Structures are given as C-alpha cells and as structure tokens.
Amino acid sequence: MSQQYQIPGTPRVTSPSPTPSESSEASGTYFAPITRSAAKRATSPSAIAEEQDTDSDVEKRARTRSRSPKSALKQRRPSGLKAVSSRSGIPKTSTSRSDQQQLDAVAPNGDSNGYLSPAAAASYYWREFSRSPSPLGLIPIHRHWRSFVHRHEIPRKALHLSIGFFTLNLYTRGVQPAAIHPWLLGALIPIASVDLLRHRVPSFNRFYVRVLGAMMRESEVNDKYNGVIWYLLGAWIALRFFPKDVGAMSVLLLSWCDTAASTFGRLFGRYTPRLRRGKSLAGSAAAAIVGAAAAGLFYGVMVPRYWGFEDDFMFKGTLSLPDAAKQGLGLTSEGQGTISGWLALGVISLWSGLVASASEVVDLFGWDDNLTIPVLSGLGLSGFLKVFG
C-alpha cells in the first residue's frame, strides 16, 4: 500500500512572480493546490526589472519600473521662465501651450506617440490666431512696450482713428475732395519711395524701424510694405473716383471700422467662429455696428447741421425702388415705393454697416485691407445708391 501511493515530496516554495527559467523547471513537478489569484499571478508576464546596486534576484523581480506618467512629464518638461508660487514661494516652471500639448502626447511608458493627446485635440486651437504672426523682437520698441505697442497697437490705432475725425473736420470747413486728393498723392509718392528704398538697403531699414517702429507691425519689417502706403492709396482712390458723400463715408469706414474689427477681434475673437485667417465673427460684428453708427453720424448729424444734402451727393435723404420694380409691384401712384427721413437713414446706415463688415473680412488677391476696405466700401455704397437712390 505504501509503495503504491507514495507520499510526494515537500513542494517547492516560489515567489508570486516566477522567472521563465523557474516556470520551465517546475513543469512536470507536483505542486500543492493553489488559489485562483496565485495562478493568475503565475501566468502574468514578468515584471520589468530596473538596474539596482544590489545583485539580489528577488529584489530585481520584486521592484518594477514606475508606470506613472508624472515621471515622464517631469523628465520632458522644458526649461523656461520661472514663476514664483503665491503660496509656497517656490519657483515653478512655466510652459507654453504648444509645449504642454507635446507633454500631453507622452505615453504612460514615457515614450512619445507622435500625436496630440485627446485633451489637446479637443481644444479650440483654431480660434487662437493673431493678425501679427511674426515673432516678438524684430522691432526694439515692441520689446520694451509689449502690451502698449506690440499687443494692442495703441499708436497705430490712434493714427488710424484720427484720420476719420480729420475727415469730418475738413467736411465741416467746406473743403472739397478735389482739394484733398492731390495732397494724398503728394504724400503717397515719397512715402512709397522711402519704403521701397528701405527694403533694398538693410542699414537704412534698421534706422527706419528704429524711428517709426511704433507705427509698424513686425511683419512689415522685412516681408511687407508699410500699411501707411495702402492707407493713403485707398483714401486717394475713394476721394478721387467716388462722389463726395460716398468718398467721405469710405474714409470713415476705413478709419473706424477697421480699428473696431481689429480691437474686438483680438479681445473676443477666440470665443467666436473664425471666418478666415486673421478674421473672426467678433471683429466683423464690431465693424458692422461701427459702420452703421458712422453712417448715422455723417448722414443724420453732420450733413443736416452743416451743408445739407448737396447736389453732388448720391444719397439725398430718400430711397426709392427702381421704376421696373414699381411697375412689377403695381406701385403706380407718386410716392409709392419711396422712403425718406429716419427710415431712409436707417436703411442706408444698415447697408453701410454690412458693406463695411464684408469689405473688412473679404480677401481680395491678398491685398492689404487698408486698400480693399475703402475701395470695396465705395463700390458697395455707390452701387446701392445708384439703384435705390
């Protein structure tokens, strides 16, 4: 009996995670009954061992490599400006948004997968854009006045706004467009010549940027011509080729609507849909509102107070449907299909706002908006008044 049913030998005690060599040696050997958790641990893959100072096999198998993503992030965190914590006073590292997206793309094992993380992909990065893509540092004054000059462009916008008020001042004094556009052309030629020269002489360009850098964007240092050139050209075309009231309105829309679109687009553009590169719904809405207000001010306040609706005006206080439209609608009586007073002023103001917004957002062959806004605004206003005026 004892020889038929021999008592097995004492089972060999192994660690919870045996090595492959131990697993192969244990095959064909009797073991005592084990629990499900022990069997699951026995069939699990071997742990990743780290290099340690000790030569103990048990310690190498027991200690595994950390799988926490924090260590990988800590190793990959770039060095940047040091910000002091308000509570502890300990400097902390600040990272940019692009660096943070790269850190989010680090896999749990510390390797980069080459893609943005889901959190970074879900962010509204398409709403974060700027009209001045060139880096900070090309113009010295932009480095010293980052918020006043570079970010908000206060000197440039102040010059932009002043042209509109100067136009109203000339109108109140009775100065005619025929006496203004020669002066614009006289200023345009030397300014364009100097700007053309600075793009060909680097030393002169550095002097030019040092003197007039507050009025420039950094994209205009080496790549583009100064925006003043396009501003003068657009104002000259508006006053030279359009009627008096349309030319004055085109300059007002250029001066005020473009500034409003730039200001509100920078402040609130990230919260609204993007219409095209550098243009947002917030900026276009601001241009439309300011354009309607500019038309109301000019036609509703300045014109009645000073010179009235002159003979060379296209808008004379009334709007009327074309004769073909009147006949098609059966409006045969005199006065039908015609509006005047505040209603006509409201219609022309609304149309001016729409024209200003459209001309500000449209991209016409990549031309500067200081040129396209007055030209397109003049075409839109003169075409509307030619049909309904």
Side-chain angles (χ1 to χ4, degrees):
M1 180 70 68
S2 62
Q3 295 179 355
Q4 185 177 0
Y5 301 96
Q6 295 181 0
I7 300 175
T10 304
R12 182 179 178 181
V13 179
T14 60
S15 63
S17 57
T19 61
S21 61
E22 293 174 344
S23 299
S24 61
E25 294 174 359
S27 60
T29 306
Y30 177 79
F31 283 92
I34 58 178
T35 61
R36 294 180 180 178
S37 60
K40 187 175 181 181
R41 289 194 299 268
T43 57
S44 61
S46 59
I48 302 175
E50 293 181 319
E51 296 182 3
Q52 303 293 337
D53 296 335
T54 178
D55 295 331
S56 175
D57 293 338
V58 178
E59 186 173 357
K60 286 184 178 181
R61 293 195 302 271
R63 297 193 60 181
T64 60
R65 181 179 178 180
S66 175
R67 298 179 181 271
S68 174
K70 295 181 179 180
S71 60
L73 294 179
K74 185 176 181 180
Q75 295 175 0
R76 293 176 175 266
R77 189 179 300 274
S79 60
L81 299 177
K82 300 294 183 179
V84 180
S85 175
S86 59
R87 294 185 178 181
S88 60
I90 302 175
K92 56 183 180 180
T93 305
S94 62
T95 58
S96 62
R97 184 178 183 87
S98 59
D99 295 335
Q100 186 62 38
Q101 291 178 353
Q102 295 177 1
L103 296 178
D104 293 339
V106 177
N109 60 356
D111 298 329
S112 175
N113 55 16
Y115 299 94
L116 293 177
S117 65
S123 62
Y124 298 100
Y125 60 91
W126 56 273
R127 292 180 178 175
E128 298 178 0
F129 53 89
S130 172
R131 294 186 61 186
S132 183
S134 53
L136 177 65
L138 296 179
I139 304 178
I141 194 173
H142 284 216
R143 296 195 301 266
H144 299 289
W145 301 88
R146 297 191 179 188
S147 180
F148 184 78
V149 175
H150 183 78
R151 181 180 179 183
H152 298 292
E153 298 181 339
I154 301 300
R156 185 185 181 99
K157 291 178 180 177
L159 178 62
H160 228 286
L161 285 172
S162 64
I163 301 300
F165 294 102
F166 185 65
T167 302
L168 291 180
N169 179 263
L170 293 177
Y171 172 76
T172 57
R173 292 161 51 189
V175 180
Q176 299 299 319
I180 300 175
H181 63 75
W183 289 94
L184 295 177
L185 185 62
L188 173 63
I189 294 176
I191 292 177
S193 301
V194 170
D195 207 67
L196 187 65
L197 177 63
R198 75 175 180 89
H199 281 286
R200 285 163 172 75
V201 181
S203 58
F204 180 69
N205 187 27
R206 290 192 294 268
F207 173 77
Y208 185 94
V209 170
R210 192 179 301 111
V211 175
L212 300 176
M215 301 294 178
M216 300 172 60
R217 286 176 178 161
E218 294 201 328
S219 58
E220 299 171 351
V221 174
N222 297 317
D223 301 330
K224 298 181 180 180
Y225 292 101
N226 199 322
V228 177
I229 298 175
W230 309 112
Y231 200 109
L232 292 173
L233 181 59
W236 178 78
I237 293 175
L239 297 177
R240 175 65 178 84
F241 297 101
F242 293 117
K244 182 178 180 179
D245 59 330
V246 174
M249 275 299 306
S250 299
V251 176
L252 293 180
L253 296 181
L254 167 63
S255 175
W256 295 343
C257 295
D258 188 31
T259 306
S262 176
T263 302
F264 285 90
R266 288 171 181 264
L267 293 176
F268 307 106
R270 63 174 62 92
Y271 307 112
T272 60
R274 173 181 176 178
L275 302 180
R276 71 172 180 88
R277 182 183 180 185
K279 306 294 181 181
S280 65
L281 182 60
S284 298
I289 296 173
V290 174
L297 174 65
F298 181 72
Y299 286 119
V301 178
M302 305 301 295
V303 171
R305 181 175 180 180
Y306 288 95
W307 306 104
F309 294 98
E310 303 177 33
D311 294 337
D312 52 355
F313 274 27
M314 291 195 72
F315 179 69
K316 299 182 180 180
T318 60
L319 295 174
S320 178
L321 291 174
D323 294 337
K326 290 182 180 179
Q327 294 177 2
L329 296 175
L331 303 176
T332 57
S333 301
E334 185 178 357
Q336 290 184 337
T338 302
I339 59 175
S340 60
W342 290 103
L343 184 58
L345 178 62
V347 172
I348 192 62
S349 299
L350 179 61
W351 178 254
S352 299
L354 294 177
V355 167
S357 178
S359 62
E360 193 274 336
V361 76
V362 71
D363 184 11
L364 188 63
F365 307 113
W367 294 347
D368 194 279
D369 56 1
N370 290 325
L371 172 62
T372 58
I373 289 177
V375 174
L376 295 180
S377 298
L379 291 175
L381 288 175
S382 59
F384 178 82
L385 293 174
K386 189 174 182 179
V387 174
F388 298 101

